[in-house]
Amino acid sequence: MITYKSISRVGSRPVNEDCVGMHKKGQEYGFFLADGLGGHGKGDIASKTAVEQAILRFEEGGFSEETIRQIFLTGQAATMEKQRELGCVSAMKTTMTALLVGNRSIRFGHVGDSRIYYFRNKRLVGRTMDHSVPQMLAAAGEIKEEEIRHHPDRNRLLRVMGTEWDRPAFQLSEELARSGRQAFLLCSDGFWELIGEREMTDLLKRSRTVEQWMDAMEAVVLRNGKGTAMDNYSAVAVWT
């Protein structure tokens, strides 16, 4: 049985440049989250374009490795085409995350710094690695993982949709078996920057439903963001 809850809030910004989406095809599910890049213009259009393409590809192909690859490839192509259509070449960019849940297996992928966290038996197994300057510094041992959240270059992304790709910029997970007692969290940086992994896990352990988990995490985000110029924040929580 799959249960889920999604949120997408504007924060303190005038426009919500995040976009979330879900699509069910038979007994298969697709969950999608994109964060249009502020400061580049039309980020809301870029994120919406990416999520719309993801839903179309999932409806056409269902759960498969090829489907999740096409979600990113066609999302990239559609974003680049939208740039040309609106006369803003290189001005529309977005991150993208996708989680596909099949009858027996799970796949996910990402590009940019929107994250997917994976929990099993209410313990954190891992997360996607940001395509960002601070993540690169952490990988090189120059800063600690926890310093990514407040690093001055945390908004400098190395890979996104909406820039030319010499080769595919997205990363895909290995196929995971559906084993039950699994939880996933897709979230934009406006969400994960304001809540730590330990808090996510502690709240997961105390929650009886996915709605309780999301509500509790959002309360932490709002508390930690109080009095700041909060970014848009979005998340999709999935239990399977």
Side-chain angles (χ1 to χ4, degrees):
M1 180 179 177
I2 294 175
T3 57
Y4 59 90
K5 181 175 182 180
S6 65
I7 61 170
S8 187
R9 317 292 193 205
V10 71
S12 302
R13 304 295 173 86
V15 175
N16 189 353
E17 295 186 309
D18 292 356
C19 184
V20 299
M22 188 282 291
H23 189 73
K24 185 172 184 283
K25 181 178 173 66
Q27 295 304 307
E28 301 174 341
Y29 292 77
F31 301 94
F32 313 105
L33 181 148
D35 177 2
L37 301 192
H40 295 286
K42 298 185 172 60
D44 54 327
I45 299 176
S47 61
K48 184 179 179 182
T49 297
V51 169
E52 287 176 345
Q53 285 296 314
I55 291 171
L56 288 172
R57 297 291 78 76
F58 186 63
E59 172 58 29
E60 289 177 356
F63 179 91
S64 72
E65 181 179 1
E66 183 58 23
T67 293
I68 199 166
R69 286 181 58 81
Q70 288 301 317
I71 282 169
F72 288 93
L73 292 172
T74 61
Q76 162 72 351
T79 303
M80 300 294 284
E81 177 59 31
K82 188 68 74 171
Q83 288 179 357
R84 292 187 287 271
E85 177 187 321
L86 298 177
C88 52
V89 175
S90 299
M92 289 171 49
K93 300 178 177 67
T94 186
T95 69
M96 182 64 186
T97 58
L99 171 71
L100 305 187
V101 182
N103 292 317
R104 298 180 179 179
S105 303
I106 296 169
R107 290 185 178 274
F108 58 86
H110 82 295
V111 62
D113 67 345
S114 293
R115 293 181 175 180
I116 300 179
Y117 289 89
Y118 171 34
F119 304 81
R120 187 173 57 239
N121 295 322
K122 299 198 173 185
R123 296 178 181 273
L124 179 62
V125 176
R127 69 164 174 88
T128 54
M129 295 293 104
D130 309 331
H131 298 133
S132 70
V133 169
Q135 184 72 74
M136 182 179 66
L137 294 174
E142 296 183 28
I143 65 171
K144 297 179 179 179
E145 279 283 328
E146 56 266 30
E147 294 181 84
I148 291 174
R149 281 180 168 81
H150 307 293
H151 195 276
D153 289 329
R154 64 186 178 276
N155 294 321
R156 288 183 59 193
L157 302 188
L158 304 175
R159 304 188 204 175
V160 290
M161 286 182 176
T163 58
E164 293 287 351
W165 292 354
D166 295 329
R167 52 191 173 87
F170 56 89
Q171 285 184 278
L172 303 180
S173 73
E174 296 293 326
E175 184 170 310
L176 305 173
R178 279 187 66 182
S179 59
R181 295 183 61 81
Q182 292 162 301
F184 295 87
L185 177 67
L186 293 70
C187 51
S188 62
D189 64 338
F191 189 93
W192 62 256
E193 284 183 356
L194 293 173
I195 181 170
E197 287 81 2
R198 181 173 294 179
E199 289 173 300
M200 293 176 188
T201 305
D202 288 345
L203 294 172
L204 176 60
K205 290 176 180 177
R206 298 204 293 266
S207 298
R208 294 186 176 181
T209 66
V210 72
E211 292 85 2
Q212 286 181 357
W213 187 36
M214 179 65 84
D215 291 346
M217 288 190 292
E218 184 177 16
V220 172
V221 168
L222 289 171
R223 183 176 69 242
N224 290 338
K226 186 176 182 180
T228 69
M230 285 185 68
D231 193 2
N232 311 146
Y233 66 92
S234 300
V236 183
V238 181
W239 285 11
T240 180

